[in-house]
Every structure is written in C-alpha cells, then in structure tokens.
Amino acid sequence: MMIKHLNCHDLLSSLSDYIDGDLNADLCKELEQHLYECPNCRIVVDTLKKTVELYQHEEEDATLPDDVRMRLFYRLNLQNFLKHD
Amino acid sequence: MMSEIKTHVDEPSLELLRNGDKAEFAKLVDMYSGKIYRLVLRILGNQRDAEDVLQETFLNAYRSIARFEGRSSISTWLYRIATNEALMAIRKQKPQVSLDVEGENDRGDAINKPYHFADWCCLPENDLQSAEVKSQMRDAIQRLSPALQTVFILRDIEGFSVKKTAEILETNEGVVKTRLLRARLRLREDLSEYFGKNLGEVS
C-alpha cells in the first residue's frame, strides 16, 4: 500500500519508531518529506528526540546506599553475608 | 593475590538459588539490588517507599525462587516482581489511580495531539541540564499514569529493549510501543510548556 501524503496526524503514530530508527525506509522518506514542509512537525520531532535524550542522560549510578543495603540484608536475614566490597 | 578477582560477574546459579542457598541469594541481592532500587525509586519518587518495595521484592523473590521455572532470565523475573510490588505500593498510596492493564483510560483519549510548539531543542546544554529542568522532568514522570510511566522508565531510562520491557510487564511489544509513544509525547508536552514559558514564547 502506498502512502501518498502524510499529514501531521498520520505522522504522530510513527514518531517513536522514527526517532528510534525503526521506521521502514518508505515511511521514513514520506515522513521526512512532510517534515521538510511542516515546521511544527519538525519542532515536535526535534523536541521529542531531545526529551528522550534528556531523560536518558538522567541515568544515575546504580550503587545502593550503604544504609539501605545493610537494612535490606538484615530484613532478608542475610546479615552474615554483609561484607564490604 | 588476583586469584579471587573475576573479570566479569557471573549470574548466580539457579540450581543453588532454588535449593535455598543463602550465600548464592546474597550474591543475587548484591548483583541486582542497586538496579532494582533505582528503578523503583523512579517509579515511586521517594526513598522511603522505594526502600520498602526493594525489601518486599527480594523477600518475595526468596519465597518464590523455588517455583521459578527459568522461562525468562533471572533479571527479567526480578524486574517483574519489583515492578508489580511498586504498582501495588502506588495502589496503596493512591487507590483512585487506575492501573488498568491496557493503560488506555489514563487521562482520556489515545494519542494526544501536540499542543506546545516552542522550539527549545537547541538551547545550550547548560539550560537543558539545570537543576530546575531536572526537577521538572521528575515531576512530569510522576504525572504519567503508572502504565505509561513504567514503560517509559524501563525502555528509555533503564534502556531495556522493547522485547524485554514487554516480558517484564507481561504484555506484548505492540502495547509497549503504543504506551511508549504516548509517554514520550506527554513528557515532550510538559517540557515544551516549561521551556515555552522560559523562552518567553507563546506556544
């Protein structure tokens, strides 16, 4: 099936796949054509990408605070295995 | 001197775990507790509840590991327990919040049309990474329904694949993708509203 002209609404449901690079080539081309012509959609795509990027940067280190770890081991009755690494 | 140091950490032995081996369970706890804590802290937004859920997760895991059949990986299984415990905690805190499986009923219709068109994507990194923005972002996540929030956190923040996210949430990949899109659009909307005000633009 050929998609002739994407409108803003059609585009919406493909956005996630598009920013993840998972959109098939034909649809991708149509979408980029639409973006070329539609400034608002371009802003939505750019800011959507940036939103995801900002949240991904939020990644913090996954070290458990010492006191939380200690209470967890006691709760699980594993305090004999509380060694400091 | 180096003999005890391994270059990579092995997954704990499922056989030992099933037999109730405490040392092996302690190994499992040390391998995953940091990640689980971070995940549930993101879902719940406060340390006290996150710590409770962390403890419940491993208590639950310890009680049920003998019945774990190994159809998914241990990590998927643990993340599933943790997510379910976190959702139960939310239900306890806010009984009015809908945890509907499809997530279709949270805040009205399917995909919200974009509303704010402030073009903030190319602001200097300093402006994008400020403490105020980060606090906005945390609040925005808390405003998502649990169904959208868990998908977004697992997929976009924790970085799990769509497939693994679906396995953790015991749903299919299509549902994950739909919720992910809706979550991302809502969060974009929130940030656009915020930046729009700050840019002094009428969006």
Side-chain angles (χ1 to χ4, degrees):
Chain A
M1 194 178 70
M2 275 283 289
I3 297 161
K4 273 275 174 271
H5 291 288
L6 282 175
N7 62 35
C8 305
H9 189 259
D10 298 331
L11 178 142
L12 216 48
S13 59
S14 309
L15 282 189
S16 252
D17 283 345
Y18 179 67
I19 66 170
D20 290 340
D22 291 337
L23 200 60
N24 75 57
D26 286 349
L27 211 48
C28 201
K29 219 171 136 191
E30 291 288 339
L31 191 143
E32 280 169 355
Q33 178 63 33
H34 176 84
L35 290 183
Y36 185 71
E37 293 157 2
C38 181
N40 270 357
C41 280
R42 213 158 50 229
I43 290 174
V44 170
V45 168
D46 288 344
T47 51
L48 188 67
K49 239 189 245 173
K50 199 73 195 181
T51 299
V52 174
E53 264 174 48
L54 285 180
Y55 276 99
Q56 283 168 344
H57 276 177
E58 264 248 296
E59 179 78 27
E60 290 146 24
D61 85 297
T63 321
L64 196 63
D66 283 344
D67 56 330
V68 177
R69 180 171 178 266
M70 197 181 73
R71 288 191 292 269
L72 175 63
F73 272 69
Y74 271 90
R75 181 82 199 276
L76 295 167
N77 210 7
L78 292 174
Q79 56 274 27
N80 296 342
F81 301 95
L82 258 179
K83 50 180 188 283
H84 297 279
D85 32 28
Chain B
M1 171 113 197
M2 294 290 287
S3 61
E4 288 302 305
I5 298 170
K6 293 179 182 171
T7 46
H8 68 96
V9 192
D10 299 319
E11 279 277 314
S13 146
L14 190 51
E15 200 186 335
L16 290 175
L17 288 172
R18 282 209 196 104
N19 290 335
D21 186 302
K22 287 200 153 199
E24 202 65 6
F25 196 78
K27 195 169 142 189
L28 180 80
V29 174
D30 266 334
M31 190 174 276
Y32 288 106
S33 53
K35 294 175 188 162
I36 297 279
Y37 180 68
R38 187 183 57 186
L39 170 73
V40 299
L41 185 55
R42 287 191 201 284
I43 297 177
L44 296 163
N46 79 78
Q47 296 179 347
R48 206 193 58 202
D49 290 341
E51 183 170 349
D52 283 349
V53 166
L54 173 75
Q55 295 184 355
E56 287 307 315
T57 297
F58 282 101
L59 280 171
N60 187 335
Y62 191 72
R63 284 193 293 259
S64 52
I65 189 93
R67 296 191 306 275
F68 174 59
E69 292 173 0
R71 264 180 289 182
S72 62
S73 66
I74 294 183
S75 85
T76 299
W77 177 73
L78 269 180
Y79 280 111
R80 185 180 302 147
I81 296 174
T83 311
N84 286 336
E85 291 286 349
L87 292 175
M88 274 197 290
I90 291 178
R91 184 174 276 164
K92 251 184 246 166
Q93 288 166 357
K94 312 178 213 165
Q96 76 280 11
V97 172
S98 153
L99 299 181
D100 65 299
V101 182
E102 292 307 315
E104 297 304 337
N105 294 325
D106 28 87
R107 268 215 242 153
D109 48 77
I111 296 171
N112 294 18
K113 264 171 52 179
Y115 183 72
H116 293 95
F117 297 98
D119 193 3
W120 53 269
C121 83
C122 302
L123 285 174
E125 284 301 310
N126 276 351
D127 293 341
L128 293 174
Q129 308 273 355
S130 72
E132 196 181 319
V133 173
K134 284 185 198 301
S135 133
Q136 283 289 330
M137 287 166 57
R138 273 191 293 272
D139 291 350
I141 281 222
Q142 291 302 316
R143 283 194 292 272
L144 292 177
S145 70
L148 299 190
Q149 191 195 40
T150 44
V151 165
F152 182 79
I153 292 172
L154 290 168
R155 172 74 184 105
D156 277 342
I157 303 187
E158 298 296 329
F160 293 129
S161 65
V162 169
K163 183 166 179 279
K164 180 150 177 157
T165 303
E167 280 171 10
I168 291 171
L169 298 172
E170 294 179 287
T171 184
N172 64 57
E173 295 183 30
V175 168
V176 168
K177 284 190 164 197
T178 309
R179 289 185 192 170
L180 184 65
L181 173 65
R182 293 169 60 206
R184 285 171 166 180
L185 285 170
R186 290 228 175 106
L187 295 172
R188 187 208 76 87
E189 212 60 53
D190 276 3
L191 280 179
S192 295
E193 187 181 359
Y194 169 77
F195 284 118
K197 278 179 198 152
N198 281 25
L199 288 169
E201 282 180 25
V202 182
S203 41

